[in-house]
Amino acid sequence: MAHIAGVRLPQELWDHIFSYLTTSDVINFCKTSSEYAHFLGEIPLVRNFNVSGNYDFFNTNIYTYVTENVSYEYIKVLNINKLYWVKLEDLRRLLKILPNLEELLALNTALSFRPKDVLLYGKLKTLALSVEGNHFTNYVDPTIYRNNLYLLRKLCLHVTRKNPKGFMGMHMLFNELFALNELWIFDSDDSHSQPLKFDTIVSQLKFLKKLVIKSKIYIPLLDYKPFGLAKYFQTRRFESIAMRYETLPVDKVVPFRHVSIFEPVESKLEMAWNVFRSYRSEMPYDHMAHREIYLTKKINNVNFQELNFIHNKCFCTNDYVNASWDFLSSDNSKDLRKLSIKSCVLQRRPVSKGDTIDRLQREYPIEAIIKNCPKVTTLELMHCPKFVYGNEVDGNFLCNVTIIDAYPLICNWKCLERIMLDVPAYLNGAFLVDLAKTCTNLKFLRISSHNTNENLNRSVYKALPHANQLQDFCFENKAINIPVLFGSFSTSQKLRRVFVSCEDTAATSTNTLKSFLETNPQLVLLALVITFKPKSYIKTVQDILDRFRQPDSAKRFHAKNDIRFFLDNYSLYEANSELFKWDTEVSTVDFYSFR
């Protein structure tokens, strides 16, 4: 029995309460008082021990913590994704003491498919790992896979770097996975010299029922019908192409070349669907919607959770923008959670050239869209490069100056938690202050501008003190006054990661930088890229940062002249890629969702 504010609660009620909390929440709660500390050691709350990306462990030895505070003999699922800083020896020691472990999710950690690692996977049914080609060997005894992975049903592999010497060994692995029925594989190495042989891999897996592929290099449009796998999802987002296959009735899955699957076409949504397909465009919705539409041949009852329009080059045409508005204003989008759009969608509805009174009217469909989709938590808004003054070119209107007036409207999405904004140079960003005040749950903010925009800088400095829940912040502009930026954060914020990229900056005050680091001891990543500053300046800044780094912890504080330092540091980049590079996980495949 325990109590809250003097009220004693039965153990059954505690079990019920904890069932709604993540492992991190339970751990944080039990650390609040010695009265609750015993929970982690006495009852099996942690069958699913999930500390994925939990920076509370940045200065804690996870092996020591688990052995001293958790009933580790109960753990069946261990999710340690993104704990890239934990030493390999500590991870191996941890796995050795978990007698009932069945699922291990360890993407972007030091664990891999080295022979010593494989010996620890003997009881696993589900496994997720990031691997490099040199972690395999062409001379490994295949029995090590056969004897330790015979229970494996689900496997997720993120291949960060390929190596010709270990390439055959990597493919040898799949020949020994006799029980595997689900495979996720992501080739994030953009080297074209050694593409993964997906055909060979699939042919080796006799009982495969689900296949998810993602790649940063070109792969052919793979057809696995001879293996009983139907492709129901395919999309390209920026640099990555993703595909999903399942053992679905192949005859019911409509080929992607078909323009329409609705006969007759009746609703606005069906007509909008046909507009997208007439452009041979990839569809904007997520894989679950793809699956339902292609199997049922119906769209009107599908609930869209994610919509992504930013990858389409034809988005500026009249028909395409109107079709996008129809998608977003439909009843099917009322539960939308994630949205990626270009600034085209912010412009007002086009009016007749001859009617000057109509031209004074400002009808922005985005207002109705926001009311229709009030639950959006993730917004990615990219500025369309086809900006022109005027709204008609050969009968089609392009992004026009009226979008400036519409940017403040996004403040009406009050549930936003993640925002990525590509801000045009002619926009002063004044709406950011209201955005920070309105979106009280904002945790992730990325702001990018590609020209000198001092007005935007001033708006960012004014907005940041109001973003009290902010954990991750990225700011890219041609010139940024970094001392003023650091000074604009409030001491009550919960910052975990900060990335700033610019060509030039004012002289960084030693006191300002030290004060920022001293008031944010929870900060794990601080990355500064200042392109045109001399190396002596960068060294001065780095010397200050070095005083606040801790050996053998997650803390990474770097000042550099070149972004390539971060792109080439694989473990650091993969854990923080959404900060270093504009990319999207909306309506595609997020490998951290594998389970």
Side-chain angles (χ1 to χ4, degrees):
M1 300 283 282
H3 66 278
I4 294 180
V7 179
R8 296 183 65 81
L9 300 178
Q11 189 62 58
E12 294 77 11
L13 184 54
W14 279 113
D15 293 344
H16 183 71
I17 293 172
F18 287 140
S19 69
Y20 289 94
L21 301 178
T22 65
T23 302
S24 299
D25 293 332
V26 174
I27 291 172
N28 290 334
F29 173 77
C30 293
K31 288 166 60 177
T32 59
S33 170
S34 59
E35 182 178 357
Y36 307 128
H38 70 281
F39 280 131
L40 288 177
E42 294 181 359
I43 55 178
L45 291 172
V46 287
R47 288 189 177 92
N48 182 350
F49 191 81
N50 183 352
V51 290
S52 174
N54 188 337
Y55 295 117
D56 289 340
F57 285 90
F58 73 84
N59 59 356
T60 301
N61 185 299
I62 189 171
Y63 172 81
T64 303
Y65 181 86
V66 169
T67 54
E68 294 181 355
N69 299 284
V70 179
S71 305
Y72 55 85
E73 64 273 15
Y74 292 104
I75 295 178
K76 289 189 175 182
V77 180
L78 179 63
N79 187 340
I80 53 174
N81 287 336
K82 297 188 179 183
L83 300 192
Y84 59 91
W85 62 88
V86 181
K87 291 182 177 179
L88 179 58
E89 298 78 31
D90 289 334
L91 293 176
R92 286 173 175 170
R93 290 173 67 201
L94 180 60
L95 293 183
K96 288 177 181 179
I97 65 167
L98 303 180
N100 294 306
L101 190 65
E102 296 180 356
E103 297 184 22
L104 173 61
L105 308 179
L107 292 169
N108 200 219
T109 70
L111 290 170
S112 184
F113 265 103
R114 305 175 191 88
K116 287 185 178 180
D117 296 332
V118 176
L119 293 174
L120 302 172
Y121 305 151
K123 296 182 180 180
L124 295 181
K125 297 179 181 178
T126 300
L127 177 62
L129 292 172
S130 294
V131 300
E132 299 181 17
N134 60 4
H135 293 170
F136 295 88
T137 171
N138 295 340
Y139 308 104
V140 67
D141 183 351
T143 59
I144 193 173
Y145 299 139
R146 189 178 311 151
N147 295 338
N148 293 281
L149 300 173
Y150 61 93
L151 293 177
L152 202 62
R153 301 290 191 273
K154 299 169 67 175
L155 175 63
C156 175
L157 282 186
H158 176 194
V159 184
T160 58
R161 280 187 290 189
K162 297 189 288 288
N163 186 308
K165 293 182 179 179
F167 208 61
M168 289 179 59
M170 185 186 301
H171 288 91
M172 185 189 305
L173 162 72
F174 297 99
N175 203 40
E176 306 299 331
L177 302 181
F178 301 111
L180 199 71
N181 55 46
E182 180 174 340
L183 173 64
W184 293 39
I185 186 163
F186 178 20
D187 182 5
S188 64
D189 184 345
D190 57 6
S191 170
H192 292 260
S193 60
Q194 289 284 349
L196 290 181
K197 300 177 181 179
F198 294 109
D199 289 346
T200 302
I201 292 171
V202 173
S203 66
Q204 292 173 308
L205 300 172
K206 307 302 182 185
F207 302 102
L208 197 61
K209 296 181 179 179
K210 181 182 291 187
L211 174 65
V212 180
I213 294 174
K214 191 173 181 179
S215 177
K216 285 193 174 182
I217 64 174
Y218 171 78
I219 54 177
L221 303 181
L222 306 172
D223 184 0
Y224 294 129
K225 293 189 186 73
F227 301 97
L229 294 170
K231 180 169 63 179
Y232 68 92
F233 178 79
Q234 174 187 313
T235 190
R236 177 172 288 281
R237 307 291 185 208
F238 294 116
E239 299 176 352
S240 300
I241 188 169
M243 302 178 185
R244 284 179 177 265
Y245 300 78
E246 280 189 31
T247 52
L248 301 172
V250 176
D251 59 321
K252 291 188 177 182
V253 180
V254 176
F256 284 91
R257 65 178 179 273
H258 286 200
V259 174
S260 180
I261 58 175
F262 309 116
E263 297 179 2
V265 176
E266 296 177 341
S267 69
K268 290 178 68 174
L269 187 58
E270 289 172 337
M271 289 186 283
W273 195 96
N274 280 351
V275 169
F276 286 141
R277 294 305 297 135
S278 67
Y279 282 101
R280 294 296 191 270
S281 170
E282 295 169 2
M283 304 309 287
Y285 37 81
D286 59 275
H287 75 98
M288 292 303 295
H290 267 86
R291 191 178 190 277
E292 184 172 350
I293 291 169
Y294 278 106
L295 287 178
T296 66
K297 310 299 185 293
K298 297 177 182 179
I299 193 174
N300 292 325
N301 295 325
V302 175
N303 289 319
F304 298 125
Q305 297 291 314
E306 304 179 20
L307 289 173
N308 189 323
F309 302 95
I310 61 177
H311 57 290
N312 290 302
K313 295 179 181 179
C314 51
F315 193 84
C316 289
T317 65
N318 193 340
D319 289 343
Y320 207 92
V321 173
N322 278 297
S324 302
W325 284 337
D326 288 341
F327 255 84
L328 291 168
S329 59
S330 68
D331 288 341
N332 308 69
S333 298
K334 287 186 178 296
D335 291 324
L336 191 67
R337 294 300 195 274
K338 297 181 180 181
L339 174 62
S340 294
I341 54 175
K342 287 184 180 178
S343 54
C344 307
V345 81
L346 295 181
Q347 61 195 326
R348 71 180 185 225
R349 198 178 293 279
V351 294
S352 171
K353 281 185 176 180
D355 198 331
T356 57
I357 296 178
D358 282 349
R359 282 191 168 278
L360 296 178
Q361 296 176 353
R362 304 252 172 181
E363 180 187 349
Y364 291 97
I366 190 65
E367 292 183 280
I369 289 169
I370 293 172
K371 291 180 181 178
N372 188 57
C373 312
K375 301 177 183 178
V376 171
T377 59
T378 296
L379 174 66
E380 299 173 354
L381 174 57
M382 176 173 279
H383 174 52
C384 181
K386 294 184 178 181
F387 173 80
V388 295
Y389 289 93
N391 66 347
E392 279 201 34
V393 177
D394 297 329
N396 292 323
F397 67 90
L398 304 181
C399 296
N400 56 65
V401 74
T402 65
I403 67 171
I404 296 178
D405 300 325
Y407 265 84
L409 295 175
I410 67 176
C411 299
N412 294 319
W413 264 310
K414 297 181 180 181
C415 296
L416 288 175
E417 297 178 5
R418 293 178 59 89
I419 303 177
M420 296 172 62
L421 292 176
D422 188 18
V423 182
Y426 52 84
L427 190 65
N428 63 22
F431 69 95
L432 291 172
V433 178
D434 289 334
L435 187 67
K437 291 179 179 179
T438 303
C439 302
T440 56
N441 292 320
L442 183 62
K443 296 181 177 63
F444 181 100
L445 177 61
R446 181 189 180 100
I447 301 173
S448 302
S449 190
H450 306 289
N451 294 289
T452 302
N453 192 340
E454 191 57 40
N455 290 328
L456 173 63
N457 289 350
R458 285 191 283 268
S459 295
V460 171
Y461 306 150
K462 291 179 181 178
L464 285 176
H466 303 288
N468 291 321
Q469 301 300 315
L470 193 63
Q471 296 179 359
D472 302 318
F473 176 68
C474 171
F475 188 26
E476 297 176 295
N477 204 352
K478 196 164 187 178
I480 300 173
N481 191 323
I482 291 180
V484 175
L485 178 67
F486 286 151
S488 65
F489 289 102
S490 72
T491 56
S492 62
Q493 285 172 320
K494 304 175 180 179
L495 288 173
R496 296 291 188 182
R497 302 180 297 173
V498 174
F499 173 57
V500 179
S501 178
C502 58
E503 294 182 1
D504 200 4
T505 183
T508 300
S509 166
T510 301
N511 292 333
T512 302
L513 184 54
K514 286 175 60 179
S515 176
F516 173 73
L517 292 168
E518 288 169 353
T519 55
N520 289 278
Q522 78 290 345
L523 195 69
V524 174
L525 173 70
L526 177 56
L528 304 177
V529 175
I530 311 171
T531 310
F532 293 150
K533 281 293 185 182
K535 291 184 178 180
S536 58
Y537 175 89
I538 297 297
K539 184 180 183 305
T540 300
V541 176
Q542 186 64 58
D543 289 342
I544 300 171
L545 297 179
D546 287 343
R547 301 175 198 171
F548 293 86
R549 290 197 298 178
Q550 299 176 5
D552 301 328
S553 80
K555 284 183 176 289
R556 301 289 190 272
F557 297 159
H558 298 286
K560 298 293 177 182
N561 285 119
D562 197 332
I563 183 65
R564 285 180 294 182
F565 168 83
F566 300 100
L567 302 183
D568 293 340
N569 190 326
Y570 283 90
S571 62
L572 181 64
Y573 171 74
E574 293 297 341
N576 304 283
S577 58
E578 70 271 33
L579 289 177
F580 295 130
K581 200 170 184 180
W582 185 298
D583 205 343
T584 181
E585 296 293 350
V586 178
S587 296
T588 181
V589 177
D590 179 5
F591 268 60
Y592 290 108
S593 68
F594 170 81
R595 177 66 196 278

